[in-house]
Amino acid sequence: MNNINKLIEAASYAAREHTGQTRKGERAEPYINHPLEVANLIASVGKVEDTDILIAAILHDTIEDTGSTAEELTAMFGERVTGFVLEVTDDKSLPKAERKRLQIEHSPHLSHEAKHIKLADKISNITDITNSPPADWSLDRRREYVNWAVAVVAGLRGSNQELENHFDSLVLRAETQFAEESSPE
Ligand code: NDP
Ligand code: ZN
């Protein structure tokens, strides 16, 4: 399979796997919008041309959130792609607070390639927290999420300047948005 075929195959596979899943925002966007956005950010903002990173970005939430297994991904997309996906997959047997703590602890130790995926994942989620947050989240919870993402991204710095700059500008935009929402005119 050539690289373009493999990329389209990954998009099609991830769309099938995430069937019926939605994002948590009020508009309940199809879940697949998020992994496609993560891959697009890495390619268009990060200027990354390594298709294995883009494929892993498209697949990054499949093991965590669908029935996909590492064995299946390895058979379809190879060991390198699957390794990147596993690097950004949380251990779901752990409590949520512990998983969040481990993301901060682990981020500096991710491979250079997986750091791009983690960075773009946080960019996509902060965009959603700003524009399309879960309906039941308070401003404090949204702020808490952004602060946590900033702590995770601290460990990813030095991997891709464009993505890091984009993240920083979105954090500023999120803070401006929260300030406006907390004291509307
Ligand atoms: P969740 O982990 O439950 O939700 C955030 C995750 O949901 C994102 O990382 C993203 O992950 C996914 N997601 C899907 N749709 C959206 C969307 N529209 N916007 C943003 N993210 C979306 O929440 P928390 O990160 O808050 O984790 C739970 C923690 O929150 C607990 O540890 C607890 O301490 C704390 N908490 C705080 C409360 C408060 O009011 N301050 C109340 C309750 C809990 P992905 O990329 O994988 O899709
Ligand atoms: Zn994600």
Side-chain angles (χ1 to χ4, degrees):
M1 231 188 327
N2 72 29
N3 286 345
I4 292 179
N5 287 349
K6 220 170 132 187
L7 194 69
I8 296 296
E9 178 74 26
S12 176
Y13 171 83
R16 278 198 306 277
E17 288 294 315
H18 288 294
T19 297
Q21 296 178 350
T22 55
R23 298 290 287 168
K24 294 172 181 169
E26 223 158 326
R27 284 180 290 146
E29 298 90 344
Y31 196 89
I32 190 65
N33 291 12
H34 162 71
L36 291 178
E37 178 176 65
V38 171
N40 189 32
L41 283 162
I42 295 170
S44 59
V45 178
K47 307 273 184 271
V48 169
E49 293 181 354
D50 180 340
T51 42
D52 280 352
I53 300 181
L54 303 177
I55 291 166
I58 291 171
L59 301 170
H60 83 272
D61 279 326
T62 56
I63 295 181
E64 205 171 287
D65 294 337
T66 78
S68 295
T69 62
E71 291 69 28
E72 189 178 11
L73 294 192
T74 303
M76 293 183 76
F77 304 104
E79 272 180 22
R80 185 165 180 260
V81 165
T82 307
F84 298 152
V85 175
L86 286 172
E87 281 191 79
V88 299
T89 297
D90 281 356
D91 179 351
K92 273 201 151 173
S93 69
L94 299 173
K96 245 187 180 165
E98 175 69 356
R99 281 157 52 188
K100 296 194 75 112
R101 193 187 64 74
L102 284 174
Q103 282 205 31
I104 297 172
E105 199 174 295
H106 288 162
S107 66
H109 309 294
L110 295 179
S111 65
H112 181 68
E113 293 89 342
K115 281 181 177 170
H116 288 78
I117 302 170
K118 184 62 90 180
L119 198 41
D121 189 30
K122 293 296 177 269
I123 290 173
S124 173
N125 286 335
I126 285 200
T127 304
D128 284 349
I129 290 285
T130 307
N131 300 335
S132 184
D136 57 342
W137 281 33
S138 65
L139 264 181
D140 275 351
R141 185 157 182 192
R142 289 160 75 196
R143 283 200 177 99
E144 203 177 287
Y145 187 92
V146 171
N147 292 340
W148 168 72
V150 166
V152 175
V153 167
L156 306 170
R157 295 204 181 260
S159 49
N160 185 295
Q161 196 59 55
E162 287 79 10
L163 286 171
E164 290 163 45
N165 292 346
H166 193 51
F167 176 83
D168 292 339
S169 69
L170 290 175
V171 168
L172 287 178
R173 203 190 62 164
E175 284 164 356
T176 306
Q177 170 81 20
F178 298 161
E180 277 172 12
E181 286 184 40
S182 68
S183 54
E185 292 189 10

